[in-house]
Amino acid sequence: MRTLMRAGAIALAASSLLLTGGVAAQAAPTAAGVTFTLNRLILSPADHGYAGALRVTITNNTDQPYDDGITVVEPLARTVRDVGNGVCGINTLPDRRYEVGCGLDRAIPPGATRRVTITFESPAAPKPFARQSATSGSVSIAGVTTEFTALFRSSTGSVSKPVAYTPAAAQSLTIAAPDAVTLTRQDDGTYSATVPVTVTNHNDAPHGGWGSSLAEPAGLSGFPYATDGTCGLGGTFPPAPPGGANTGCVHEGLLTEGETRTINWILSAPADAEPGAKGTATVATNLTGDAADAQPGDDYLTSFQVSIAG
């Protein structure tokens, strides 16, 4: 979402109309004379998991501009990505799904129609059969709520005979790194080493992203970083040894079910660093987003020995 701010509870209208996976679109008349229709939310295999869009077509049948906004409840936790162009606020429901309330980027004039596109992503791996979310999402506009489900295409493109789908409740990752790393002298006189850290996601637990962090021992430069992430110094987990340093990095996109990625961490030391063994470095990874935190503190760790070449 272009602009997302956490907000308090966003009230949903009491009335409800059902939009099932088998219905192409459902008109939802409102008491204010504003109507809206939804297409089917169909998620198709993408570069990382699944992606799709729900198109909401709003028609203002009144004689006044409409600018009261739109509220969306995602059918599956952490799948909504973007709701049009307006400023949005997020409320987390007890089942960890997001309820997103957004203003329209501009009012809809009397007699006019506006389309709002809501995009979704899922880390689920494609299957040879179609699936449909076991829970429904909803769109609320001008006091009326219409429900919808997420329909997942099969790996062959079919959407017929879908089976009920519920993602895993908690993440399951593995992480691996070399047993030992030696920093070697570079052309500029300093020392450096590249540490390949491999992370594999074993299920489809909902998440908004993923990250990793590395704690290095004393005697190095004090700023380890990953070449394929947005990094910041000063993390607290894993804890750095005395005199050491910790850096946390956020990596791009979702980590899809069954996907393995390699993160290249860079360790460095100044030209006047003392050669020899320096101690243990620890690297951790974790999915981000409340839905992935069913087991708090369940970060995945691996350690390796660090030395500087003589």
Side-chain angles (χ1 to χ4, degrees):
M1 278 157 274
R2 289 175 175 79
T3 309
L4 286 182
M5 300 178 295
R6 286 194 176 273
I10 303 168
L12 288 177
S15 56
S16 177
L17 299 174
L18 179 64
L19 177 66
T20 66
V23 178
Q26 174 73 50
T30 73
V34 176
T35 62
F36 66 95
T37 62
L38 312 179
N39 73 318
R40 298 168 74 186
L41 174 57
I42 299 178
L43 302 178
S44 299
D47 291 341
H48 295 286
Y50 278 83
L54 181 71
R55 292 183 296 276
V56 183
T57 302
I58 308 169
T59 301
N60 182 7
N61 300 306
T62 73
D63 58 1
Q64 299 294 322
Y66 177 77
D67 61 357
D68 286 349
I70 179 173
T71 299
V72 179
V73 175
E74 57 186 0
L76 297 168
R78 299 304 179 270
T79 53
V80 67
R81 289 294 175 264
D82 187 275
V83 183
N85 298 318
V87 177
C88 301
I90 298 176
N91 184 41
T92 302
L93 301 179
D95 62 3
R96 298 180 180 269
R97 289 183 299 157
Y98 277 163
E99 180 184 59
V100 183
C102 298
L104 300 176
D105 59 339
R106 61 191 187 280
I108 303 174
T113 295
R114 178 80 48 78
R115 174 175 288 179
V116 176
T117 300
I118 307 167
T119 58
F120 295 83
E121 292 179 342
S122 166
K127 302 294 183 184
F129 49 86
R131 290 169 289 177
Q132 183 167 290
S133 59
T135 53
S136 296
S138 65
V139 172
S140 298
I141 298 175
V144 166
T145 299
T146 294
E147 294 186 349
F148 65 94
T149 56
L151 185 61
F152 291 71
R153 289 189 186 277
S154 71
S155 54
T156 60
S158 173
V159 294
S160 63
K161 299 180 180 179
V163 300
Y165 168 64
T166 300
Q171 59 186 304
S172 177
L173 307 175
T174 53
I175 182 171
D179 293 332
V181 172
T182 300
L183 282 69
T184 58
R185 182 80 74 174
Q186 304 300 299
D187 292 341
D188 64 357
T190 63
Y191 295 89
S192 181
T194 299
V195 186
V197 177
T198 301
V199 178
T200 300
N201 184 14
H202 298 287
N203 68 20
D204 57 355
H207 58 280
W210 66 291
S212 63
S213 56
L214 187 145
E216 69 176 22
L220 305 186
S221 66
F223 184 46
Y225 68 93
T227 59
D228 51 355
T230 301
C231 303
L233 185 65
T236 59
F237 188 87
N246 178 294
T247 297
C249 300
V250 176
H251 306 291
E252 182 180 359
L254 301 178
L255 194 60
T256 307
E257 177 186 9
E259 181 179 10
T260 297
R261 288 201 219 174
T262 298
I263 311 162
N264 289 312
W265 278 89
I266 306 298
L267 303 184
S268 60
D272 60 355
E274 186 73 23
K278 296 300 168 184
T280 301
T282 303
V283 62
T285 189
N286 204 357
L287 303 179
T288 60
D290 294 341
D293 296 337
Q295 297 174 352
D298 194 19
D299 290 82
Y300 295 84
L301 304 168
T302 189
S303 298
F304 54 92
Q305 297 303 304
V306 178
S307 62
I308 296 178

